[in-house]
Amino acid sequence: PFGRSSFSVAGGLSTGLSYFLDGALHNNAVDGGYVTMPFPDALQEFKVETSASGAQGGVKSAGAVSLVTKSGTNQFHGNLFELVRNFKFNARNALATRRDSIKRNQFGGTVGGPIIQNKLFFFAGYQGALVRQDPLDTITFVPTASMLTGDFTPVTSSACNGGRQITLGAPFVGNRIDPALFSKAAVLLASKLPSTSDPCGRITFGNRSRENDHQALGRIDYQKSANHSLFGRYLIESLVRPSSFSLNHNPLSINNGDDGLTQAFTVGSTYLFGNNVVNSLRLTADRIAAGKFPPRDEITAAGLTSTALGIKAYDYDPTALRTTVTGGFAVGTQGGTTRTALFGVNDDLSVLRGSHQLGFGASTSVSWVNNYAGQQTVNFSFNGQRTGLGLADFFMGYARQFINGPNSATLKTVKYLGLYSADTWKANRKLTVSYGLRWEPFFPMTNRDGVVSHFDADAMRKGIKSGQFNNTPPGMFFNGDPGFPGLPGMYVRWRNLSPRLGLAWDVAGDGRTSVRASAGTFYD
């Protein structure tokens, strides 16, 4: 949700990973990645399983990532840290006229200890990251003073087009035209762009960035008895990054600002039924509230709305006007928000019987994903198909494409269920065999408020129509029609059975050299 990269493990897709934090489900239903990761000083363990992982780890094809946060102990421990990166120590980018001016300050600390000796413990940590950057490495082409007078001879010359002379089509004559024929909206928009003395319109600018990232983690551990321990962990992270236009007021820098808050809460119980049986129960609740927001107030104040420019078109969001000129510039953006909530429970039972370690478990969750976005808004694009030059088409108002659409909401529900049984068998001193079976049916995502359709070519040829809508053509069917699989538009797949087999051979029996092999089936 914060626009960060996801992991890729063993050549698999980033969406093919299962994530667990403190033994609880930690996958993000929006993009298949993780919800949020604790900073390194708050982590006790980090494990990555790749290839044919065991039956406990889920059916994701790329692997499983498991993290465990630190706990308090009977002694007080803590640390402080700070990392500083400054542009003064960086080289200049070859395309920039100056150094990037990046300033990164990452700092924080942790503390943990006893509340009640041998019974109750706490751990807390915080990390902040402040990033300031003012690069100057983006090249684009804007209208020149010569173009505003109707003279396009400089920008169409071979010097500005890689040795190719451009001759503009009608109504241009000799690459000149009466500026009275220009689109008034285009002239007004051009007047708000940065000016340049370059005859080709070339300009170099940068998107200024100011990011504030804060993360805090708190954990309580309670040793209820010799056989029963409990813990609760809460992780919260916020990120605020305003639009570059809010910082430098350059219309070419109109991008979305980021504002996100992620929370992850887990309660865990570990119970020992004697010396050979351990049960681990995890309850989790995660929430993501993130959005990409255009700088609406600044756009309105700068007169960059469709209304202020005199564009006669109904606009669902006047501040989300977008204009793209091929070979020239681009102005505008559109935003959106995401609200996600996940509730899950998973239980794992481990039983030791002689040379066997048996494992049984179940996990289930339900996620609600609500997206709100301006799908199109007012969007103009100019590519030079009428005159031969994108900027000339722009001034004449010859749009290659005009798109207008409303804001939209997509409200989804995702359900998940997995059951497994596994055994790790110490066959002899050198050979260990792991095998198991996981059942993880596929439940398709449900659009709670949408109309889902399906096209059947055979029904079209037979003239069979939907019983839900009278004005649709034959062959188009919708939720509610006979045989249609409900709001998801897909059937549940119940037969997703995943057998697993793994072999580990200690060649010499001294723990120094091992040979491993594994096989399994996976559904993604």
Side-chain angles (χ1 to χ4, degrees):
F2 293 162
R4 295 172 177 167
S5 299
S6 297
F7 294 109
S8 179
V9 173
L13 296 173
S14 61
T15 55
L17 286 171
S18 299
Y19 292 93
F20 301 90
L21 181 60
D22 293 321
L25 297 169
H26 201 62
N27 275 75
N28 179 355
V30 175
D31 58 9
Y34 54 87
V35 177
T36 185
M37 289 291 189
F39 60 97
D41 290 62
L43 286 178
Q44 180 67 35
E45 298 177 15
F46 184 96
K47 181 175 69 173
V48 178
E49 296 180 83
T50 64
S51 302
S53 55
Q56 182 179 358
V59 299
K60 292 285 191 174
S61 59
V65 178
S66 302
L67 306 99
V68 178
T69 56
K70 287 183 178 179
S71 301
T73 65
N74 274 327
Q75 293 180 330
F76 287 99
H77 292 280
N79 76 320
L80 296 173
F81 62 87
E82 183 172 17
L83 169 69
V84 176
R85 178 183 170 189
N86 195 286
F87 72 96
K88 293 181 179 180
F89 303 103
N90 295 347
R92 177 179 61 85
N93 187 300
L95 299 178
T97 59
R98 58 180 173 83
R99 285 183 289 184
D100 59 14
S101 75
I102 185 172
K103 297 179 180 179
R104 180 181 182 90
N105 189 12
Q106 192 166 333
F107 54 91
T110 64
V111 62
I115 300 175
I116 301 175
Q117 286 284 332
N118 300 317
K119 275 289 185 181
L120 190 62
F121 312 92
F122 79 96
F123 178 84
Y126 164 78
Q127 175 178 271
L130 309 179
V131 183
R132 305 292 184 264
Q133 194 167 4
D134 190 10
L136 197 64
D137 55 3
T138 302
I139 299 173
T140 193
F141 293 84
V142 298
T144 65
S146 176
M147 291 184 207
L148 291 169
T149 66
D151 184 3
F152 281 71
T153 55
V155 75
T156 55
S157 67
S158 59
C160 292
N161 296 281
R164 180 176 66 94
Q165 174 68 46
I166 295 177
T167 301
L168 299 178
F172 286 83
V173 178
N175 290 340
R176 289 181 171 86
I177 196 171
D178 183 353
L181 298 177
F182 285 165
S183 161
K184 292 182 174 58
V187 173
L188 187 54
L189 177 57
S191 69
K192 298 179 180 296
L193 300 178
S195 60
T196 177
S197 58
D198 185 273
C200 304
R202 178 185 171 114
I203 189 172
T204 303
F205 71 99
N207 290 325
R208 194 173 171 189
S209 176
R210 186 180 68 201
E211 176 183 327
N212 295 330
D213 188 351
H214 303 279
Q215 184 184 106
L217 181 144
R219 175 169 172 149
I220 296 291
D221 287 84
Y222 177 48
Q223 191 67 39
K224 185 177 180 180
S225 66
N227 294 332
H228 194 192
S229 62
L230 301 165
F231 80 88
R233 186 259 306 139
Y234 177 66
L235 174 64
I236 183 171
E237 181 177 15
S238 71
L239 181 143
V240 177
R241 180 168 46 211
S243 168
S244 299
F245 182 61
S246 301
L247 304 175
N248 64 10
H249 308 294
N250 181 353
L252 299 174
S253 294
I254 294 178
N255 54 17
N256 287 319
D258 292 299
D259 192 344
L261 181 69
T262 300
Q263 302 172 80
F265 177 68
T266 296
V267 174
S269 169
T270 302
Y271 197 91
L272 279 66
F273 297 91
N275 295 327
N276 299 325
V277 181
V278 181
N279 187 79
S280 298
L281 174 67
R282 301 291 185 267
L283 305 175
T284 186
D286 298 337
R287 183 176 185 270
I288 298 173
K292 294 185 174 295
F293 303 99
R296 290 187 169 88
D297 292 341
E298 290 89 342
I299 290 174
T300 302
L304 292 168
T305 65
S306 55
T307 304
L309 294 173
I311 298 173
K312 292 178 170 53
Y314 181 79
D315 198 342
Y316 294 90
D317 184 358
T319 62
L321 168 68
R322 292 185 294 161
T323 304
T324 304
V325 181
T326 301
F329 62 92
V331 172
T333 187
Q334 64 182 30
T337 60
T338 297
R339 298 290 184 270
T340 302
L342 177 145
F343 297 93
V345 56
N346 55 290
D347 189 81
D348 298 280
L349 181 68
S350 178
V351 181
L352 287 176
R353 286 288 184 270
S355 59
H356 295 266
Q357 181 176 349
L358 304 172
F360 309 92
S363 55
T364 184
S365 69
V366 60
S367 301
W368 290 268
V369 181
N370 298 339
N371 291 324
Y372 307 90
Q375 294 298 306
Q376 302 297 345
T377 66
V378 172
N379 183 4
F380 290 96
S381 61
F382 304 87
N383 71 340
Q385 67 179 10
R386 287 284 296 274
T387 65
L389 185 70
L391 283 166
D393 275 15
F394 164 72
F395 272 106
M396 298 306 299
Y398 296 155
R400 178 189 70 86
Q401 187 179 59
F402 167 69
I403 302 175
N404 194 0
N407 293 325
S408 66
T410 54
L411 313 178
K412 312 178 191 74
T413 301
V414 184
K415 297 178 181 178
Y416 168 79
L417 173 66
L419 303 175
Y420 75 91
S421 175
D423 180 22
T424 300
W425 173 38
K426 187 73 173 178
N428 55 48
R429 188 172 62 89
K430 294 183 178 181
L431 179 64
T432 301
V433 182
S434 299
Y435 53 92
L437 180 68
R438 187 174 183 91
W439 177 57
E440 195 165 287
F442 166 70
F443 298 106
M445 179 180 288
T446 299
N447 289 300
R448 302 194 306 274
D449 61 341
V451 176
V452 185
S453 63
H454 168 68
F455 174 70
D456 188 321
D458 185 60
M460 180 195 69
R461 287 188 287 268
K462 295 177 180 179
I464 302 174
K465 298 184 66 173
S466 168
Q468 301 298 312
F469 302 98
N470 295 326
N471 60 344
T472 55
M476 290 295 299
F477 299 101
F478 302 86
N479 177 43
D481 285 322
F484 196 91
L487 278 176
M490 290 185 285
Y491 293 102
V492 175
R493 187 182 179 95
W494 293 103
R495 297 182 180 179
N496 282 7
L497 293 172
S498 299
R500 308 292 171 82
L501 175 64
L503 303 173
W505 176 38
D506 186 350
V507 178
D510 57 4
R512 296 172 63 87
T513 305
S514 65
V515 176
R516 302 173 185 272
S518 60
T521 60
F522 299 84
Y523 300 89
D524 219 346

